[in-house]
Amino acid sequence: HTMKFTNKPEGLCDTPEPLLSSLDIFLFSLIAGLLIYWFFFRKKTEPVPEIKPFTPVTPQIRETSFIEKMKKTNRNIVVFYGSQTGTAEEFANRLAKDAQRYGMKGMAADPEEYDLSELSRLKEIPNSMAVFCMATYGEGDPTDNAQEFYDWMQGTDDDLEGVNFAVFGLGNKTYERFNATGKYTDKRLAELGGKRVFDLGLGDDDINLEEDFISWKEQFWPAVCEFFGVEATGEDSSIRQFELVVHNDINMNQVYTGEMGRLKSFQTQKPPFDSKNPFLATVTGNRKLNKGGNRHLMHIELDITDSKIRYDSGDHVAVYPTNDAAVVNGIGERLGVDLDTVISLKNLDEESNKKHPFPCPTTYRTALTHYLDINNMPRTNVLYELAQYASDPKEQENMRKMASASPEGKALYQSWVLDSERNILAILEDLPSLNPPIDHLCELLPRLQARYYSIASSSKVYPTSIHICAVVIEYTTKTERVFKGVATNWLKNKEVTDNGHKLTVPMYVRRSQFRLPFKPSNPIIMIGPGTGIAPFMGFIRERAWQKEQGKEAGETILYFGCRHKNEDFLYQQELEEFERAGVLTQLNVAFSRDQEHKIYVQHLLKKNKQLWKLIHSNNAHIYVCGDARNMARDVHTAFYEIAEEVGGLTHTQAVDYFKKLMTKGRYSQDVWS
């Protein structure tokens, strides 16, 4: 404070020194007095924050220990799941439930909620084992909720001798690193001294994940029984996990209306926004991109002003869609239920961390609209549990058969459910004697998941707007029903209105590894047919922005593919303008159906002999976005051929060369199947 007064005001020039120091003392006393007053006053009126941080400590210590929880609740099997879209979690719940048939007690557990470094203590529980249902996400990564466990496995040297385990991996053959997380978990736990009770299961979602799981489970349980010397109890009856509570007299302010986490979070929005707390973004743009053809390709713009959400080109936007009201009403009518009944499904296991299968209390209508997946084909366990409600013995027998591991049962499930694409409403319509209580149906259906889209904008150009490019999914199935993709049809109807009523989309951003090179001067080669163009629109706009900033942008090469030039050449005008402006060095477009023989992006790639120099000598980054099943594989092959032909490598060397580029982050894929 003395500092402030050394430059004295004019009127005080000749004031004797002592007065100044007494002024200092006065100021110090005043501030000290205010601080003391504020401290005590704040303490008196607001005792809550003072106590708050200390209350959760005790339960937290207890809760993060899955060992203590197992001992307390008398369980000997724990099933951990690494899940991104809910399937691994569903499988884990099924295994935990199955344990009862063998006189054991199981619990499903999210590795994020527990301290996995306690794994070596599992041997303190007699006849115990840990099962891991591990999904692989993206290019061989663990799922978000299994990341910490994965990091722990990589860094630990704990001795797991005496710890029994088994792993079932969920993956997809179309991806380069098939089932990498499941394979690593299985290998690492054995390296640390764990005892593998049963062989690693490798589920392939490209063909039939459900069938792979059933086949694995069918052999897994006999192996467990043999290992522990137990026998099946013969109890095949369906065991309810949740009990129904009907709320006749409830304040509607306490009822969930579609929120993912906190009640009323859609009315009062509070950052930070994530999967449990999505932001309601206003739709500010919705236009059809294609000029013709029988498909509907759309460009949607979401406003994220005031959300504090940041994103980078290449990130994903996750949206929470709602189900088609016609299907929801169809289920209510078929089961003769008042969908506006307010209910809760309460876990019968008091100790479970999962009190409800979805946010409760809520109505059946809200659950079927916002929380449950009613559009996809139900898995076999749903058919098995519902079979008891079919009054026709033949229908009941067929439902049970479809859930069995017998070749005949598998074939029936494949043809009647999967190939015919019957969702739960179609099954109820085609099995007239099947009349399950709606609460049991709600307990069994999986959760409706967020849908991820590659962001088609650059945050440098559009910091408060996120763009989505997607194709509306709609076609007729074998049973002459119209199958409509949940999210794309819901988005298509989000028209921009000017009557003041703004339509919103619950969303959050998921970071990705799909990134422009750190140096703008590095060349980039982008390959994205169809809606795979999305992230590249962000990349190209960012390159244009870098040029405007006076940075030296490297070669920017795009390979885009569509069916017909005059129908679905997405973003044609913008791309041609970027090419004229010199932002796009090369715009290569494959029109697959404009001539007799089909031409795809990989055919154009093979023709370009200059690519090898860019990759091998100029540090170019390669990006592939779109269909994993055919396109991404064919593009790989095209690059191998270029390396062999121009670079003089053998096939093995070429494969190895591009594997190394992937490891270095110079060959990135954002693909889906």
Side-chain angles (χ1 to χ4, degrees):
H1 289 280
T2 37
M3 287 297 291
K4 275 189 183 163
F5 290 95
T6 46
N7 203 357
K8 290 176 220 143
E10 273 155 61
L12 292 177
C13 283
D14 306 318
T15 319
E17 272 307 306
L19 185 72
L20 194 66
S21 49
S22 58
L23 180 65
D24 272 354
I25 292 161
F26 169 70
L27 278 168
F28 273 124
S29 316
L30 185 68
I31 288 161
L34 280 168
L35 277 170
I36 292 163
Y37 175 72
W38 176 79
F39 185 71
F40 281 103
F41 182 75
R42 183 173 161 267
K43 255 188 121 162
K44 272 195 201 78
T45 54
E46 257 192 302
V48 189
E50 289 299 313
I51 303 161
K52 220 177 182 176
F54 298 102
T55 41
V57 170
T58 34
Q60 231 173 357
I61 289 168
R62 185 177 58 84
E63 281 310 321
T64 59
S65 169
F66 69 92
I67 299 292
E68 295 311 318
K69 177 129 182 211
M70 286 173 78
K71 286 179 176 175
K72 196 175 140 203
T73 59
N74 195 18
R75 291 164 203 257
N76 56 348
I77 292 184
V78 59
V79 192
F80 289 105
Y81 54 84
S83 193
Q84 198 72 30
T85 61
T87 312
E89 180 179 355
E90 209 183 307
F91 286 0
N93 280 318
R94 283 160 71 175
L95 287 170
K97 214 168 164 184
D98 278 349
Q100 285 175 273
R101 296 182 186 166
Y102 305 94
M104 300 183 242
K105 272 191 92 177
M107 69 178 237
D110 182 343
E112 207 169 29
E113 291 179 11
Y114 294 101
D115 180 4
L116 265 289
S117 65
E118 288 202 331
L119 204 52
S120 59
R121 289 184 57 204
L122 191 62
K123 53 179 172 285
E124 296 172 14
I125 298 169
N127 286 344
S128 64
M129 78 176 289
V131 186
F132 296 84
C133 289
M134 305 301 282
T136 298
Y137 184 76
E139 294 303 305
D141 305 314
T143 58
D144 292 352
N145 77 316
Q147 187 65 57
E148 275 176 51
F149 168 52
Y150 193 83
D151 295 343
W152 172 78
M153 280 194 293
Q154 285 183 313
T156 188
D157 51 5
D158 282 10
D159 179 8
L160 297 186
E161 200 183 331
V163 174
N164 306 313
F165 77 90
V167 179
F168 181 80
L170 295 82
N172 189 313
K173 271 259 167 59
T174 55
Y175 290 84
E176 193 68 18
R177 302 190 57 216
F178 172 60
N179 251 316
T181 307
K183 288 173 181 171
Y184 178 75
T185 306
D186 183 68
K187 177 177 127 248
R188 189 72 186 123
L189 295 178
E191 281 172 3
L192 292 167
K195 173 86 177 114
R196 188 186 287 112
V197 173
F198 187 60
D199 300 339
L200 165 69
L202 295 175
D204 178 13
D205 202 24
D206 185 38
I207 298 167
N208 188 339
L209 189 58
E210 174 72 13
E211 190 175 300
D212 295 340
F213 178 63
I214 292 177
S215 305
W216 180 82
K217 195 162 75 94
E218 203 71 9
Q219 296 170 293
F220 164 75
W221 284 116
V224 170
C225 289
E226 198 179 323
F227 185 84
F228 291 119
V230 295
E231 275 179 37
T233 55
E235 273 183 55
D236 253 9
S237 63
S238 145
I239 304 140
R240 288 289 300 260
Q241 206 180 333
F242 298 92
E243 64 173 338
L244 171 68
V245 179
V246 178
H247 304 282
N248 292 318
D249 185 24
I250 189 168
N251 179 347
M252 291 311 277
N253 280 329
Q254 297 168 335
V255 178
Y256 280 89
T257 58
E259 307 92 329
M260 294 302 143
R262 180 174 56 86
L263 189 67
K264 296 268 175 285
S265 64
F266 284 175
Q267 277 110 306
T268 50
Q269 293 246 282
K270 290 176 193 158
F273 296 105
D274 54 26
S275 59
K276 296 274 192 296
N277 180 35
F279 175 68
L280 294 182
T282 306
V283 179
T284 51
N286 183 349
R287 61 186 165 95
K288 187 177 177 182
L289 286 170
N290 50 321
K291 298 189 273 289
N294 51 8
R295 296 182 303 163
H296 183 103
L297 292 117
M298 56 191 175
H299 172 89
I300 306 254
E301 300 187 3
L302 304 176
D303 183 9
I304 55 165
T305 313
D306 301 331
S307 67
K308 294 193 169 67
I309 290 174
R310 302 249 179 286
Y311 75 93
D312 285 307
S313 304
D315 281 341
H316 295 133
V317 56
V319 303
Y320 281 108
T322 58
N323 285 312
D324 186 346
V327 183
V328 173
N329 291 331
I331 293 172
E333 281 163 29
R334 167 65 179 77
L335 296 178
V337 176
D338 174 8
L339 292 178
D340 296 309
T341 310
V342 181
I343 57 124
S344 287
L345 286 179
K346 216 171 99 213
N347 203 322
L348 291 162
D349 170 11
E350 294 289 320
E351 292 300 324
S352 174
N353 285 9
K354 201 175 178 187
K355 299 289 175 231
H356 313 282
F358 42 77
C360 289
T362 190
T363 64
Y364 286 125
R365 186 183 306 283
T366 301
L368 294 169
T369 304
H370 293 275
Y371 300 137
L372 297 170
D373 183 347
I374 58 174
N375 207 42
N376 275 322
M377 289 75 79
R379 297 196 184 278
T380 55
N381 64 309
V382 177
L383 301 178
Y384 183 85
E385 300 248 354
L386 292 180
Q388 57 182 312
Y389 303 115
S391 52
D392 178 334
K394 187 84 191 112
E395 286 183 2
Q396 189 175 83
E397 186 197 339
N398 278 339
M399 287 177 79
R400 290 233 164 92
K401 192 187 287 171
M402 283 191 274
S404 76
S406 74
E408 191 194 351
K410 283 178 179 174
L412 185 61
Y413 177 70
Q414 182 68 45
S415 65
W416 198 79
V417 179
L418 299 183
D419 297 343
S420 307
E421 297 184 75
R422 280 182 169 89
N423 63 16
I424 192 66
L425 178 57
I427 285 171
L428 288 167
E429 285 171 348
D430 293 346
L431 296 176
S433 88
L434 177 63
N435 286 298
I438 191 165
D439 60 292
H440 199 175
L441 182 69
C442 288
E443 171 179 322
L444 293 169
L445 289 174
R447 280 291 293 265
L448 183 60
Q449 298 295 330
R451 305 299 203 262
Y452 296 97
Y453 295 98
S454 309
I455 295 177
S457 48
S458 158
S459 56
K460 301 286 189 290
V461 186
Y462 299 103
T464 60
S465 182
I466 284 180
H467 301 176
I468 293 173
C469 167
V471 57
V472 176
I473 295 166
E474 188 171 335
Y475 55 87
T476 305
T477 68
K478 285 182 177 171
T479 66
E480 296 301 310
R481 292 177 169 96
V482 176
F483 179 89
K484 288 181 170 186
V486 172
T488 53
N489 281 279
W490 168 76
L491 280 170
K492 178 189 170 188
N493 293 321
K494 294 276 177 187
E495 292 293 342
V496 181
T497 53
D498 39 16
N499 63 2
H501 178 66
K502 292 191 167 74
L503 295 176
T504 57
V505 165
M507 53 71 71
Y508 64 96
V509 166
R510 188 178 192 281
R511 312 298 269 165
S512 88
Q513 301 302 312
F514 207 68
R515 285 279 178 273
L516 273 170
F518 184 66
K519 280 188 182 154
S521 56
N522 282 6
I524 58 173
I525 301 159
M526 304 170 284
I527 301 131
T531 55
I533 184 85
F536 302 137
M537 291 310 293
F539 280 9
I540 297 162
R541 288 189 178 116
E542 193 141 324
R543 280 265 155 126
W545 176 84
Q546 287 171 341
K547 276 194 124 151
E548 278 167 25
Q549 301 294 306
K551 291 178 181 155
E552 183 211 337
E555 285 199 52
T556 303
I557 299 170
L558 174 68
Y559 285 87
F560 171 62
C562 59
R563 294 178 183 181
H564 301 281
K565 182 173 185 174
N566 57 4
E567 272 185 18
D568 53 0
F569 187 166
L570 308 182
Y571 301 107
Q572 179 178 359
Q573 223 177 330
E574 285 160 86
L575 290 171
E576 287 172 351
E577 271 167 31
F578 281 128
E579 191 184 24
R580 276 196 295 275
V583 173
L584 258 182
T585 331
Q586 284 182 37
L587 172 58
N588 307 289
V589 192
F591 304 108
S592 61
R593 302 182 185 186
D594 275 350
Q595 60 288 309
E596 207 136 292
H597 57 288
K598 291 193 173 160
I599 295 177
Y600 295 121
V601 284
Q602 58 269 24
H603 301 133
L604 298 187
L605 269 178
K606 276 183 226 172
K607 284 185 188 161
N608 192 344
K609 306 286 182 258
Q610 306 305 311
L611 290 178
W612 179 249
K613 183 172 179 279
L614 285 176
I615 297 165
H616 194 60
S617 312
N618 299 6
N619 215 11
H621 285 235
I622 301 166
Y623 301 91
V624 183
C625 180
D627 158 58
R629 189 167 288 150
N630 305 307
M631 184 275 300
R633 274 185 191 166
D634 294 343
V635 165
H636 273 316
T637 311
F639 277 120
Y640 299 155
E641 287 177 18
I642 291 169
E644 289 163 41
E645 199 185 316
V646 189
L649 305 186
T650 65
H651 182 68
T652 318
Q653 285 172 325
V655 172
D656 204 46
Y657 184 89
F658 285 100
K659 275 225 166 90
K660 281 206 176 77
L661 284 191
M662 283 185 168
T663 317
K664 286 182 190 158
R666 273 183 53 207
Y667 190 131
S668 309
Q669 300 194 93
D670 179 357
V671 290
W672 54 84
S673 71

